[in-house]
Amino acid sequence: GLMLPFAFIKNKIIAYLLYVSGFLFYFVFMNIKSFYCKNFNKLQNFQNIFILTILSYPFLYNMDKGNFDMILFIILGLSVYAFKSEKYMLSAILLAVENACKPFPALFLLLFLFKKKYKEFFLSIILTALLVVGGFMILPDNFFNQIIVLIKNLVFFKIVYVNNNNLSDAGMGFGSSLFMPLKLIFCKLSSTPIISTYLLDKLYNYFSIAITTITIFFTWKEKTYWKQLTLLICNFLLIPCITYDYKLIFLFIPLWLFVTQKEKTKFDLAYTILFALLLITKNMVIVH
């Protein structure tokens, strides 16, 4: 539904410019707000903000692909800042819209439980369910037929892209997932039939559950908000089998909070280096 208005614009260039304008405005605005330093002159600030904005790998990747996550990035950013401002109801509603579109930030619901905001927690879940069902009901086809088609497409996608034992497709474009390096190694060393990748996928599912459980535990123990966000965002970037690089843009959300935090610690330099490494430009792996 969020993409529907752009479908009525005949000129593709104009449609694209209108589509990315909101993302550009939000991204540039937040970078200026977060990275502007009073100790630097205007030229130095402009150079720093320009580099962090225009030349960052996640930004360039998103501008090239024009993925729907550009809109989700804005919604999640607004939800995060509403939560930080203790506007928990607004944050829950925005998170519901986010999860109704794509469920990867669902773990953020736990932050409401950690804050004992049970009403907002259940409201967000119910609203997500209503939006999902409402979205299916608007479409002309039968509701249950759409569910069946969606499940079939997901199964087919997993067979073709995730469980494919072909070396040329082993790495794919899912460069942010931990699964793909393991799959590349597995396919390189294994001469067994395609069924072998199903075993790898099954084992990786157990690994994902274990890592996610550990992530949730440390998020619960952690009291600093931006660190909690970093843990949860890294989880949905690294753990799923099918994570594209355009999702790296979500790392800017905890980065903005980290840069603007008032409390300084001896580990700030280490955090800065880690953020820089996660945002650095990389080559896609191609196996022949």
Side-chain angles (χ1 to χ4, degrees), residues 158 179 198-214 239 241:
K158 195 165 189 179
F179 179 76
Y198 287 95
L199 176 60
L200 176 64
D201 184 31
K202 186 176 181 179
L203 293 173
Y204 188 79
N205 288 336
Y206 293 124
F207 171 78
S208 300
I209 293 171
I211 295 299
T212 301
T213 302
I214 293 171
I239 300 305
C241 294

